[in-house]
Amino acid sequence: MKRGNKILGTCLLLCLIAYGLSHLSTFDTSAEGILRSEIIALPNGYGYQIYSGDQVLIRQEFIPAIYGQTPFSSKRDAKAVADLVMEKIKNRSNPQVTKEEMEELKIRILSSP
């Protein structure tokens, strides 16, 4: 059952990324203030949402690039990754985050709840 949830979560994340990338051409990401992030409080930590105007492009409740569904342990960590993803979107590159980037940002990873 847990493996099924992981596969479903991964599929949903990939669909969100594909949807966001396919609709980037309709968003003016060069204008200041169009893209913004919001840190969201979750039961066991934090996540983030990235908006274009009033539309949610990405809702990330778990730390990307790691196994499992672990939320960020701090607002700072969630903000650092959200900023990285927004920069990638502004540069029209793939917003996927790698383990190496997580290490560079010094994201603290706690075990899954």
Side-chain angles (χ1 to χ4, degrees):
M1 186 68 175
K2 284 190 173 194
R3 182 161 194 241
N5 287 342
K6 181 178 176 2
I7 291 171
L8 178 62
T10 301
C11 288
L12 288 174
L13 177 61
L14 291 175
C15 288
L16 281 172
I17 290 171
Y19 177 81
L21 289 175
S22 68
H23 288 79
L24 276 177
S25 62
T26 64
F27 300 121
D28 181 10
T29 58
S30 63
E32 193 64 35
I34 296 295
L35 277 184
R36 66 180 173 85
S37 65
E38 173 184 44
I39 305 308
I40 52 177
L42 301 167
N44 296 316
Y46 299 92
Y48 65 83
Q49 293 186 140
I50 295 178
Y51 293 86
S52 177
D54 291 334
Q55 184 176 6
V56 175
L57 291 180
I58 298 173
R59 179 177 173 90
Q60 186 68 43
E61 296 183 358
F62 307 109
I63 300 174
I66 66 163
Y67 179 78
Q69 297 179 341
T70 305
F72 292 95
S73 61
S74 71
K75 289 181 181 181
R76 181 220 119 0
D77 286 355
K79 175 91 170 98
V81 176
D83 289 347
L84 172 65
V85 172
M86 284 195 320
E87 190 62 33
K88 288 182 173 195
I89 292 170
K90 287 177 184 175
N91 293 329
R92 299 199 183 281
S93 62
N94 183 343
Q96 185 173 354
V97 179
T98 66
K99 286 182 183 180
E100 291 79 16
E101 290 169 323
M102 300 291 287
E103 290 172 5
E104 288 173 16
L105 293 172
K106 298 182 180 6
I107 302 302
R108 189 170 153 202
I109 300 171
L110 303 175
S111 61
S112 297

